[in-house]
Amino acid sequence: MKAAVITTYQALIEIGNIHKPVIKADSVLIAVHAASINPIDDILRSGAMKDTAPLTFPHVMGYDVSGLVVEVGSDVRNIKVGDAVFARPNQDDAGAIAEFARVKASELALKPDTLGHAEAASVPLAGLTAWQALITKGKLKAGAKVLIHAGSGGVGTFAIQIAKHVGAYIATTSSGRHADLVKRLGADVVIDYNTEAFDEQLSDYDLVFDMLGGDTMKRSFKVLKKGGTMISIKGQDTEGLAAQYGVRFEGFYMEPNGTMLGELGAWIDAGAVKPVIGNTFRMEQSAAAYEELANGHSVGKIVIVIR
C-alpha cells in the first residue's frame, strides 16, 4: 500500500510503498478515506519522546483516521465489514496517512452520520483531548467559568464547543483575527494574546485548560480561584505553583477511547459540536501539510484525503 512514511527520526516525509498492516484478533482493518494531523505527530517524529514512545521504522505518519472496515479480527463482535468508522489508533498501530490502517475495536466508533470522512477524520485526537481535559479530568459543570487557551486551534475549537454544550462560561485566548470564529463557537470572552494580558483581565475561574505550557501556563495559575483546577497537555507544575495558589494541577496525555469517541459523535450528530477544518491536502502533499502545521497559525484541523 501507499503511505506517508519516515525512515528515521527527523527525516523528511515521503510517500512510499509498504506492506499493509496485519490484522489482529482484537482489531479491524480500515480502508482509509481521510486522516488528520496533530502537533504530537511532529514531536514523535523529532525523537523528543523516543525514550517513552519509541517509533519503529518505516513509521507511517498520522493517527486520526476515518474510513470503511474491510476486515474484522476474530475477537471483534460489535463491528462488521462495511461499517464507516473513525478513531485515534494507539501508538503501536499503523499510522493513518495510508491506504489502510489497523485499529483496535475498543478505540474506534461508528462515524457520525452528519459528517463526511474528511470532517470525521479531524475529530478523534483533538476531540478526545478536549473531552478528557474538560469532562473527565476537569469535571466541568454548568455555570462554571473556564479559560481555554489557543481557542482557534485544533483542540481549542472542540474545547469551546464542548464547554458551551455543558453550559459553562468561557474565556479563550486567540489572535484578534480569529476572534469572530471563537465567538461563533461559543466563547463569551476573547483575549487577543497579541495585545492583551489574560492574567490581568480574568480572575476567579474554576478551570483552566492549558495547551501552551511555559510562561502561559505559569501565569494561568493567577486566573484560578482557590480550589480551582488547571489541566495541561503541555507542561508540568515543576515549581509547585498549584500548592502556592491553593489549586489542583493535572498534566495528561490523551488516551484512545472508542466509548468516549462515540459519545462525542452523538453530540456531533445532535448539532452541539462541529469540526473546524483549516485546510485539506492529498496524501501526496503530506509534507506540505506538516509544514503548514509547523508554522503554528493554522485554524482548526488540517485534513489529508486518501480516497
Side-chain angles (χ1 to χ4, degrees):
M1 69 174 185
K2 288 184 178 180
V5 300
I6 55 173
T7 55
T8 187
Y9 289 114
Q10 301 180 26
L12 296 176
I13 297 170
E14 305 172 355
I15 306 302
N17 284 295
I18 63 172
H19 294 294
K20 285 196 303 185
V22 177
I23 193 76
K24 294 182 178 180
D26 62 351
S27 301
V28 305
L29 190 67
I30 296 171
V32 180
H33 282 240
S36 74
I37 63 178
N38 301 276
I40 187 62
D41 301 3
D42 267 338
I43 294 172
L44 291 167
R45 174 187 171 199
S46 73
M49 296 179 64
K50 62 184 177 181
D51 292 335
T52 55
L55 304 181
T56 56
F57 300 102
H59 171 73
V60 182
M61 297 295 292
Y63 291 95
D64 287 323
V65 60
S66 182
L68 297 179
V69 175
V70 295
E71 190 176 350
V72 176
S74 59
D75 292 344
V76 177
R77 299 288 179 265
N78 60 331
I79 298 293
K80 64 184 184 301
V81 170
D83 282 346
V85 297
F86 70 144
R88 192 288 196 192
N90 66 78
Q91 176 66 23
D92 293 330
D93 275 330
I97 309 175
E99 292 179 307
F100 297 92
R102 181 183 63 219
V103 182
K104 284 187 176 182
S106 62
E107 296 171 349
L108 59 77
L110 295 176
K111 180 181 70 65
D113 293 333
T114 54
L115 299 185
H117 285 291
E119 290 181 304
S122 74
V123 175
L125 189 148
L128 283 174
T129 299
W131 182 283
Q132 291 174 12
L134 298 177
I135 307 298
T136 308
K137 307 288 186 181
K139 311 294 184 186
L140 188 64
K141 304 293 184 184
K145 295 170 65 178
V146 57
L147 167 60
I148 297 168
H149 282 300
S152 65
V155 177
T157 52
F158 283 107
I160 291 172
Q161 295 177 83
I162 289 170
K164 178 57 64 173
H165 189 57
V166 168
Y169 180 86
I170 304 159
T172 190
T173 55
S174 172
S175 69
R177 68 181 183 276
H178 298 144
D180 288 343
L181 168 66
V182 294
K183 286 178 181 177
R184 288 198 305 271
L185 294 176
D188 298 288
V189 176
V190 181
I191 306 294
D192 184 345
Y193 61 74
N194 290 309
T195 60
E196 301 172 285
F198 69 88
D199 51 325
E200 294 178 2
Q201 298 194 33
L202 307 177
S203 61
D204 295 320
Y205 272 64
D206 300 281
L207 178 65
V208 172
F209 181 18
D210 167 57
M211 290 169 267
L212 299 172
D215 183 62
T216 297
M217 188 191 81
K218 295 176 184 178
R219 291 164 53 205
S220 296
F221 282 100
K222 295 189 288 184
V223 169
L224 288 166
K225 68 181 184 183
K226 293 285 187 182
T229 298
M230 185 185 303
I231 306 295
S232 178
I233 59 171
K234 223 30 182 323
Q236 292 295 330
D237 180 23
T238 57
E239 299 178 21
L241 295 175
Q244 293 180 34
Y245 283 94
V247 301
R248 182 174 74 88
F249 176 90
E250 184 171 354
F252 84 106
Y253 293 111
M254 186 278 298
E255 292 289 337
N257 187 306
T259 300
M260 286 183 187
L261 189 57
E263 293 178 30
L264 179 55
W267 284 22
I268 290 170
D269 275 342
V273 177
K274 184 173 177 59
V276 176
I277 296 176
N279 207 349
T280 302
F281 293 83
R282 301 186 307 275
M283 180 163 61
E284 293 74 16
Q285 301 171 304
S286 294
Y290 277 100
E291 286 179 11
E292 180 166 314
L293 180 70
N295 74 28
H297 300 297
S298 55
V299 176
K301 292 299 301 292
I302 296 173
V303 172
I304 296 179
V305 175
I306 313 299
R307 286 180 170 83

